[in-house]
Amino acid sequence: MSTNPIVFAGIAPHPPIMVPEVGREAIADVRGSIEAMREFTARIIASGAETVVIISPHAPLDARAFVAYQEEELCGNFANFRAPEASVAAPLDEELLKEIARAAASESLEVVGLRGQELDHGTAVPLYFLQRNGWRGPIVALGYTFLSNEAHLHFGNCIRRAAERTGRRVAFVASGDLSHRLKPDAPAGYQPQAHLFDEEIVESVRKGMPERIIDIDQNLRKLAGECGYRSLLVALGVAEGAMSACEVLHYEAPFGVGYLTAQIVLAQEEPEEQKRELEENEERGTELPALARRAVETFVDEGKVLEKPSALFGMLGQRAACFVSLKTHAGELRGCIGTIQPLKASLAEELIANAVSAATRDPRFAPVEAEELPDLVYSVDVLHEPEEAKFDQLDPKNYGVIVEDEAGVYRGLLLPDLKGVETARQQVEIAARKAGIPQGTPLRLWRFRVERFREAA
C-alpha cells in the first residue's frame, strides 16, 4: 500500500474569463481550458483528497515569506471582473496550515498569515471550478515569495511532510499562467522567444522530467513574462520522488497568454489485491450493476444515499454519463433514469445517483418498496460521448439517439438495441415523443454508443 499523502498534484490556469459569469460569450475562446478544468477537478475529487492546497502568484505577496490566507472561512468573488455574483467560499484546514508553517520553520522558511483579505483570482478561479464540479472540502490557500528557486522546492517538501504528519490525503494545485507575451496584442507585449518557454514547460511535464523545469533558462523565463513558474516549483517539491501519471490535459494561448492544465501526481492508496479484484469484477461486467443494487437497497432500506467506494479504479473512477435500469425477474421495467452528460466527478457517483432516481423518481412508476427489492434485476448503460449525426448515420442496434428541436428547448434520448425498435425512424419517433416534440418538427440528431452491464436474472 502506498503511504504517499499527496494523492494529486497538478497545474491549473487562472484567467477569470474562464468563469462563465465573467467571460459570458467570450468563454468560447477558452472552452478547451474549461473542459480541461472539469477533468482536472474530477480527478482531484476521485482521488479521495480530504484537503486541497492552492498556491497562487496573485496573493498579496511578501518578498521573503510565503503567505497564507488565515480566516476560518476563506471567501472570494469576481467583483473586480464585473461579476460580483460569482463567488467562492471554503473552510480553512487550520491543522494542516499549522503543520506547513511548522515544517517550513524547520527549513528556515517563514509563513505569514493574511487576515481580512479576500481570495485573489489566482486562487478563486481553480476553487470556482472545484466547487462547481462537486468539491465541498477545506482548503489551504498560499502565495509564493521572491526567494530562490531552491526555497520554493524546499517549501513544497514542507507541504508534503505536513500532509504526512496530519495524515491528510492532500491534493495540491499550482495556480499559474505561462508566458504572457506570445502575440503582438498580448497584455504584456510581444516577445518572439516567449513561445520557447511554454514549449519547454509543456514538453517537460508531458515526459515527466522535472529536472528540465528546474534547470530552465532563467533569462528565457524572464522574457516570457510568466506568473506560474514558482507555483510549479512548489508543486515539484510537493511531488518530489513521487511524480507519476504526468499528463498534459490541455494547453492553449488564445490571448497571447499560455494556459496549461496538467496533472503530475495521482497516487492510489488501495491495496493491489483489492485493485485487481475490482478490475476483474469490472471486466466481468458485475461491479457496475452490483453498485447500482447496493445504492438502491441502501436508500430504500435505510433512507440514505450510499457513499461512493473508497477505491475507484478503471471505469468507476472515470467521468461518464450512464443510465440505470431496474426490471423484475419476469422482465418488466420497474424504473429507468440516466444522464446524457456526466454531472458527477466519477462514474461511481453518477451511477449511485441515477440508481436511486430510477428506483424513486421515474414518473412512470411508484417508488420501489422494500418488499420488491429481492425481485429486481439491475443493468447499467455507460454512455460514450455523443456525436452529431445525420439520419442515415443512425443504427438503432448499435447506437442510441438523442433528438432535439431546433430551438434547443426539448431533448429526448433512446438507448440502443431495445426490443421492438427495429428502424432508425422508430427510434427517432419514440425519442421525440418522450421529449414532447410535436410530429413534423425539424430535429437535430446525435448518436452515441453504450457499454451495457447486466446482472444475471
Side-chain angles (χ1 to χ4, degrees), residues 187-205:
Y190 178 54
Q191 170 48 249
Q193 302 300 310
H195 69 96
L196 298 175
F197 174 81
D198 286 27
E199 290 166 8
E200 178 67 6
I201 295 292
V202 170
E203 187 68 8
S204 301
V205 172

Side-chain angles (χ1 to χ4, degrees), residues 50-54 67-75 89-100 111-115 119 123 127 131 135-142 168:
E50 298 169 282
T51 297
V52 175
V53 177
I54 305 173
V67 298
Y69 291 92
Q70 205 164 6
E71 302 289 348
E72 188 173 328
E73 184 174 57
L74 305 180
C75 303
L92 170 66
D93 188 332
E94 294 186 51
E95 183 187 1
L96 180 59
L97 177 55
K98 288 177 182 176
E99 283 297 338
I100 291 172
V111 177
V112 174
L114 297 173
R115 296 191 178 275
L119 296 174
T123 304
L127 183 56
Q131 295 189 327
W135 173 258
R136 295 294 179 267
I139 68 168
V140 172
L142 305 166
R168 293 283 196 281

Side-chain angles (χ1 to χ4, degrees), residues 66 109 145 147-158 234:
F66 293 91
L109 298 171
T145 77
L147 297 172
S148 67
N149 291 348
E150 290 75 15
H152 289 81
L153 289 166
H154 288 317
F155 186 63
N157 295 161
C158 295
V234 177

Side-chain angles (χ1 to χ4, degrees), residues 50-290:
E50 298 169 282
T51 297
V52 175
V53 177
I54 305 173
I55 192 161
S56 165
H58 296 296
L61 300 183
D62 186 302
R64 304 198 62 79
F66 293 91
V67 298
Y69 291 92
Q70 205 164 6
E71 302 289 348
E72 188 173 328
E73 184 174 57
L74 305 180
C75 303
N77 62 51
F78 295 92
N80 290 340
F81 303 93
R82 303 189 301 279
E85 72 280 11
S87 61
V88 293
L92 170 66
D93 188 332
E94 294 186 51
E95 183 187 1
L96 180 59
L97 177 55
K98 288 177 182 176
E99 283 297 338
I100 291 172
R102 187 176 293 119
S106 71
E107 297 284 339
S108 300
L109 298 171
E110 185 179 4
V111 177
V112 174
L114 297 173
R115 296 191 178 275
Q117 300 269 5
E118 292 212 330
L119 296 174
D120 64 280
H121 75 267
T123 304
V125 170
L127 183 56
Y128 175 96
F129 283 98
L130 269 164
Q131 295 189 327
R132 294 310 183 273
N133 291 322
W135 173 258
R136 295 294 179 267
I139 68 168
V140 172
L142 305 166
Y144 59 54
T145 77
F146 300 111
L147 297 172
S148 67
N149 291 348
E150 290 75 15
H152 289 81
L153 289 166
H154 288 317
F155 186 63
N157 295 161
C158 295
I159 293 172
R160 188 181 69 251
R161 291 205 305 274
E164 290 170 351
R165 289 171 182 170
T166 59
R168 293 283 196 281
R169 294 165 59 92
V170 172
F172 183 85
V173 177
S175 173
D177 296 331
L178 300 188
S179 175
H180 287 53
R181 297 171 177 168
L182 294 170
K183 294 182 178 179
D185 57 350
Y190 178 54
Q191 170 48 249
Q193 302 300 310
H195 69 96
L196 298 175
F197 174 81
D198 286 27
E199 290 166 8
E200 178 67 6
I201 295 292
V202 170
E203 187 68 8
S204 301
V205 172
R206 183 173 283 124
K207 292 185 175 180
M209 301 178 68
E211 65 278 1
R212 284 175 55 174
I213 298 172
I214 296 167
D215 296 335
I216 200 167
D217 183 338
Q218 296 299 302
N219 288 324
L220 177 61
R221 180 179 70 80
K222 292 172 183 175
L223 287 176
E226 53 71 40
C227 73
Y229 182 69
R230 290 185 177 90
S231 292
L232 182 49
L233 287 177
V234 177
L236 296 181
V238 168
E240 186 178 49
M243 286 188 69
S244 60
C246 293
E247 184 180 353
V248 172
L249 301 178
H250 190 68
Y251 172 82
E252 64 183 351
F255 311 114
V257 179
Y259 304 143
L260 172 63
T261 312
Q263 169 189 304
I264 60 175
V265 168
L266 183 61
Q268 298 288 356
E269 295 194 342
E270 296 299 324
E272 283 300 312
E273 184 178 342
Q274 183 180 0
K275 176 180 177 180
R276 283 195 299 273
E277 181 182 346
L278 286 167
E279 289 175 339
E280 287 168 3
N281 285 343
E282 189 176 287
E283 286 174 10
R284 292 194 298 267
T286 60
E287 180 66 16
L288 275 66

